[in-house]
Amino acid sequence: SNRPFAQPIPANLRRNVQASRPQLGHVVPRHARKAKGGSRDPQLRAQGKAPGLSNPSMLKISAGSAKGRRLDSPQVYLRPMMGKVREAVFSTFTSFGLYDSTYTARHLDIFAGSGSVGLESLSRGAVHCTFVDLAQDCCATVRRNLEWCNFKETQGQVICQDALQVLREPYKAG
């Protein structure tokens, strides 16, 4: 044999196994398959007016000075960060001591949308947040949410420009 260290299988462990194979034709035809989830008509949606959606995200601040405040959403199609993900991220930041009095936390919320991530940071103790988004509707929504959460004008700056351009040339944005 090719295996020099292999020993023969003892007689009491040998089994006579006959595995039957399925007959041909076991594949279920496409028209008979049942849907197992997902979307029947998946498609990419361009950012713009979202037909039939009125405040689809129902966002709210999960902790801090503005805890429980519901946030307004812009009338564009957004995929905001889920509340439990945002909670996990900011709990990690808090455990690192980022919002302690020894640090001066400043937050940059790129592609802000409704501003929920930056507002969460402000609520937990950041001293300032800069929100950047290209859509006028999103920028107006962030301003409304800043006011709704009772943050001072000096705590939030909304920049309505292309986010990548702001990152490349921040001195032009202000």
Side-chain angles (χ1 to χ4, degrees):
S1 104
N2 292 341
R3 301 180 309 178
F5 299 108
Q7 296 180 1
I9 298 174
N12 63 341
L13 296 178
R14 287 189 200 140
R15 301 283 185 258
N16 185 10
V17 178
Q18 293 182 352
S20 63
R21 293 184 177 190
Q23 298 176 1
L24 292 179
H26 65 282
V27 177
V28 179
R30 284 190 182 272
H31 71 297
R33 293 182 191 170
K34 292 183 180 178
K36 292 187 179 182
S39 176
R40 291 185 187 270
D41 187 23
Q43 55 184 284
L44 290 175
R45 298 183 195 168
Q47 185 168 348
K49 293 291 180 188
L53 297 176
S54 59
N55 198 3
S57 54
M58 294 301 293
L59 297 167
K60 67 180 182 178
I61 304 294
S62 60
S65 63
K67 180 179 180 176
R69 294 276 179 154
R70 291 207 177 271
L71 301 176
D72 192 15
S73 291
Q75 292 299 314
V76 296
Y77 179 72
L78 295 178
R79 292 194 52 189
M81 184 185 288
M82 291 176 59
K84 60 184 174 183
V85 175
R86 201 170 59 241
E87 174 69 29
V89 168
F90 284 103
S91 292
T92 303
F93 289 164
T94 303
S95 71
F96 290 156
L98 197 63
Y99 296 109
D100 292 346
S101 59
T102 55
Y103 292 104
T104 304
R106 297 177 65 85
H107 190 100
L108 177 62
D109 192 350
I110 298 284
F111 306 107
S114 63
S116 62
V117 176
L119 291 165
E120 184 79 36
S121 185
L122 286 171
S123 178
R124 290 174 181 253
V127 295
H128 185 270
C129 183
T130 303
F131 301 89
V132 181
D133 204 302
L134 182 60
Q136 293 286 338
D137 191 19
C138 291
C139 293
T141 301
V142 171
R143 287 185 187 98
R144 282 194 305 272
N145 286 334
L146 276 166
E147 184 179 328
W148 174 249
C149 292
N150 296 324
F151 293 119
K152 300 173 188 167
E153 286 184 27
T154 57
Q155 287 182 285
Q157 177 185 10
V158 181
I159 299 174
C160 202
Q161 290 182 14
D162 178 39
L164 299 176
Q165 186 69 29
V166 170
L167 289 174
R168 272 189 231 112
E169 300 171 338
Y171 54 89
K172 286 186 178 179

